Amino acid sequence: MVGSALLRRLRNEDCTIVTASRKVLDLRDAKATRDWLALTRPDTVFCAAAHVGGIHANNARPADFIRDNIEIQASVIHGAYQAGVEKLVFLGSSCIYPREAPQPIPEAALLTGPLEPTNQWYAIAKIAGILQCRAYRRQYGCDYISAMPSNLYGPGDNYHPTDSHVVGALIQRFHEAKTAGYPEVKVWGSGRPRREFLHVDDCADALVFLARHYSDEEHVNIGSGTDLTIAALADLVARTVGYEGRFDFDRSQPDGTPRKLLDVRRLNELGWRPRIALAEGLADAYADYRDGIAATPDAKIA
Ligand code: GDP
C-alpha cells in the first residue's frame, strides 16, 4: 500500500524509480537483496516493505511478524550500506511506543515503558530497524532516517475480513452487509479505543518530504494530529459506504492499545502538514475497494 502510494507521489519528481516486486525479490533473502541493490545502485531507498496486519493477524502469527520484519529490514539496510546508498528512509509504526505512553506521543517516548501485547512482535522488529538506522549513522556515517506513521488507510489496503486493519475490515464488512441486506454488522472490541488515521497518499508525501529535508538520528512521527473512537470511525465508514443497518460491538475481540495519538510537532515545524481529511480519504478508500476488489470477487481474499 505505501509502496504504491510512493510510486504515485514520485511520478511528479525528476527521478528514475526502481522497484522489485515480491515475485522478483524476496527481501528476507539478504544475499538476493544485496545483489539487487548492488546491481541497481539507487541514490535513495524507501524501506516500506513489511509483513503487516491488524490486531488479530499480529496476535495469531507472532513468529511470522517478528521474523519477516527483522529479516526484511536487516537485508535492506545492510544491503543499502554495502551498495553505497546515500539516503534511506525506514518506515516504522506508531505501535513502537509504550502502551501507556503520554498522549499525544512524542518521539522521545520510545523505549520508556512496556509495549501493547497484541502487537509487540511487530513493534520490537520495527524498534530494531530504527536502532539499526541510528547505528549505521553513528558507525558508518550513513544518512539513514526513520519515520513513524500513525494508522494508515487508502488505496491498496488489505480488505481481508480478519487479517486487515480496522478501516479495510470495516469497509469490507459494511459493503458486504449493504449488498447482501444484512441488518447488523459486528465491530470488534468495545468501540472505545481511539485511533489516528492518515491517508496513504499523505504518508507518501511526508516520506518524500523527509527524504529531502530531514537528516538526523531521531525518528519522526507522521500523523494527522487528530484521533477518534473506533465507534465514531464505524459510524463514518457506514455513512461512506451507504450502509443503513445497525452495528454492534463484539467484546470478545481485543481492543488493543487504548490510544495512540502521535505528537506531530516535529514534522509540522519542519514544514509538512497533511492535506486529506478523513471523510474525503474514506470516500477515496471505499471507491478503491468497490471498483477493485468488490468488483472482482475472485480477488476478494488477497
Ligand atoms: P491497531 O491500531 O494495531 O490496534 O490495529 P487495528 O487496525 O487492527 O485495530 C484498531 C482498533 O480497531 C482496535 O481497537 C480493534 O479492536 C478495532 N476494530 C474494530 N473492528 C475491527 C476489525 O474488523 N478489524 C480490525 N483489525 N480491528 C477492528
Side-chain angles (χ1 to χ4, degrees):
M1 174 167 71
V2 177
S4 303
L6 276 166
L7 293 186
R8 288 194 292 278
R9 173 61 186 78
L10 289 169
R11 256 188 239 131
N12 309 327
E13 299 292 329
D14 180 19
C15 63
T16 307
I17 303 167
V18 281
T19 62
S21 72
R22 200 176 307 191
K23 282 197 195 102
V24 175
L25 176 62
D26 182 344
L27 293 170
R28 295 169 301 183
D29 181 339
K31 182 177 180 314
T33 306
R34 187 173 66 227
D35 291 348
W36 187 84
L37 285 164
L39 189 72
T40 50
R41 303 193 75 78
D43 303 303
T44 300
V45 166
F46 291 94
C47 185
H51 187 138
V52 296
I55 196 162
H56 172 78
N58 257 273
N59 236 349
R61 297 193 301 280
D64 295 354
F65 274 80
I66 195 161
R67 183 193 56 239
D68 286 351
N69 288 308
I70 285 179
E71 287 181 355
I72 290 169
Q73 69 210 23
S75 303
V76 174
I77 297 168
H78 190 60
Y81 160 65
Q82 289 181 309
V85 169
E86 279 167 35
K87 186 97 191 185
L88 181 141
V89 184
F90 173 69
L91 261 90
S93 144
S94 56
C95 72
I96 59 159
Y97 292 113
R99 178 183 158 85
E100 304 296 339
Q103 307 285 327
I105 313 173
E107 284 87 354
L110 182 66
L111 292 171
T112 55
L115 298 166
E116 155 62 32
T118 51
N119 53 25
Q120 59 183 322
W121 325 99
Y122 181 75
I124 284 285
K126 288 293 179 185
I127 292 169
I130 299 170
L131 291 186
Q132 192 175 352
C133 289
R134 281 189 199 169
Y136 277 55
R137 175 178 289 274
R138 281 196 195 178
Q139 190 174 335
Y140 305 129
C142 297
D143 188 4
Y144 295 177
I145 62 171
S146 301
M148 300 304 117
S150 56
N151 288 36
L152 300 176
Y153 71 96
D157 207 347
N158 176 355
Y159 300 101
H160 190 284
T162 55
D163 282 356
S164 59
H165 286 99
V166 62
V167 173
L170 294 186
I171 285 179
Q172 183 272 336
R173 217 169 292 145
F174 283 127
H175 176 84
E176 194 175 42
K178 180 179 91 165
T179 314
Y182 300 149
E184 188 181 286
V185 165
K186 287 282 182 207
V187 176
W188 293 358
S190 64
R192 285 198 303 267
R194 300 183 72 89
R195 291 291 184 274
E196 173 184 12
F197 296 97
L198 185 72
H199 190 283
V200 69
D201 286 340
D202 269 337
C203 178
D205 190 55
L207 293 170
V208 173
F209 176 88
L210 287 173
R212 206 172 255 146
H213 301 291
Y214 188 75
S215 173
D216 216 331
E217 218 179 84
E218 189 80 6
H219 57 283
V220 182
N221 289 340
I222 305 179
S224 61
T226 52
D227 63 358
L228 75 173
T229 63
I230 295 300
L233 173 77
D235 198 48
L236 204 52
V237 174
R239 274 189 277 139
T240 305
V241 169
Y243 167 75
E244 288 172 354
R246 287 174 283 121
F247 62 85
D248 197 12
F249 296 100
D250 177 356
R251 289 181 171 77
S252 68
Q253 295 290 343
D255 268 345
T257 199
R259 193 177 187 198
K260 45 178 176 172
L261 176 64
L262 293 177
D263 182 339
V264 288
R265 275 177 301 176
R266 175 171 294 165
L267 184 58
N268 291 167
E269 279 160 16
L270 285 166
W272 187 89
R273 279 176 200 278
R275 271 176 252 174
I276 306 170
L278 185 57
E280 181 197 339
L282 287 176
D284 181 49
Y286 178 51
D288 171 63
Y289 173 76
R290 190 192 51 215
D291 304 340
I293 287 182
T296 50
D298 288 349
K300 237 179 187 165
I301 311 271

